[in-house]
Amino acid sequence: MTASPQSHAKTTGKGGKIADKIINGGGWFTFLRSTISSQIASWTDLATSMLFYAFIFTALDPFYRSNLSVAVGAVAGGIVNCCINYKFTFHAKGQSVRSVAVKYAMVWTGSLLLNMYGTTGLATLLSQWQWLLDMGFTADGIFAAARLVASLVVSLAWNFVLQRNFVYRPSPFDRYAISLTDAFVPRRRRQSHNKQK
């Protein structure tokens, strides 16, 4: 038995409305989109951190091994997160890319520091708990657990709040952010970029 064209249109209409709310809606839908973006960025960050920690920075002192691994992961995750949030999460297409880039870099720097020192501090604390070691946790396992906890806490308590209320919204700071980028990007390059638009 096939559905009538009218019932198909009604189903598509409802599905289209739900999809539109998820993609364009505010409130909880913004939080849902942010969660998706954050998780994609966090997993990119975590995978990159673990790759560098387990295979590339193995000869370094544990403090530098941990911090540098977190820093590399944060750069990769930050780039992914900014791109997804600009177009998908916060729909900032009307916002100046220059002001968003500066504001995002500021929030990202704070996130990087919180992730670096939060991960290292938590891993140091957890590695002193003998009962974890007795359960068979290795340094790599403790690092992964500390990295995951720090990443989730910073993602929700720092990144979402500041991105939603500062980075992707117009603010009086935007003119300073644009002036800052103007100081670093040569005028000829800006003019040729504007002509291409």
Side-chain angles (χ1 to χ4, degrees), residues 7 15 70 74 98 106 145 147 161-164 169 176 184:
S7 66
V70 172
R98 293 181 293 166
M106 291 169 59
R147 183 71 194 98
V161 172
L162 289 175
Q163 287 175 12
R164 181 178 184 199
R169 287 192 179 189
Y176 300 110
F184 289 101

Side-chain angles (χ1 to χ4, degrees), residues 77-82 85 99-109 163 166-168:
I79 291 169
V80 167
N81 187 252
C82 187
N85 283 343
S99 67
V100 167
V102 170
K103 292 187 290 185
Y104 187 88
M106 291 169 59
V107 172
W108 177 85
T109 301
Q163 287 175 12
F166 174 65
V167 174
Y168 297 100

Side-chain angles (χ1 to χ4, degrees), residues 71-117:
V72 171
V75 169
I79 291 169
V80 167
N81 187 252
C82 187
C83 294
I84 293 172
N85 283 343
Y86 187 80
K87 293 201 176 226
F88 175 67
T89 306
F90 299 106
H91 305 293
K93 293 173 189 154
Q95 280 287 99
S96 163
V97 173
R98 293 181 293 166
S99 67
V100 167
V102 170
K103 292 187 290 185
Y104 187 88
M106 291 169 59
V107 172
W108 177 85
T109 301
S111 178
L112 172 64
L113 294 172
L114 289 169
N115 273 296
M116 280 174 53
Y117 293 108

Side-chain angles (χ1 to χ4, degrees), residues 33-108:
R33 289 191 306 271
S34 175
T35 301
I36 293 167
S37 172
S38 177
Q39 288 307 305
I40 292 169
S42 291
W43 286 108
T44 301
D45 180 346
L46 181 64
T48 306
S49 294
M50 290 306 299
L51 175 73
F52 275 77
Y53 187 84
F55 300 109
I56 297 173
F57 294 145
T58 55
L60 296 177
D61 175 75
F63 178 82
Y64 296 109
R65 182 181 179 195
S66 176
N67 280 335
L68 289 174
S69 297
V70 172
V72 171
V75 169
I79 291 169
V80 167
N81 187 252
C82 187
C83 294
I84 293 172
N85 283 343
Y86 187 80
K87 293 201 176 226
F88 175 67
T89 306
F90 299 106
H91 305 293
K93 293 173 189 154
Q95 280 287 99
S96 163
V97 173
R98 293 181 293 166
S99 67
V100 167
V102 170
K103 292 187 290 185
Y104 187 88
M106 291 169 59
V107 172
W108 177 85

Side-chain angles (χ1 to χ4, degrees), residues 3-20:
S4 70
Q6 292 170 338
S7 66
H8 178 68
K10 287 180 184 176
T11 305
T12 304
K14 286 182 182 178
K17 287 180 183 178
I18 292 170
D20 185 57

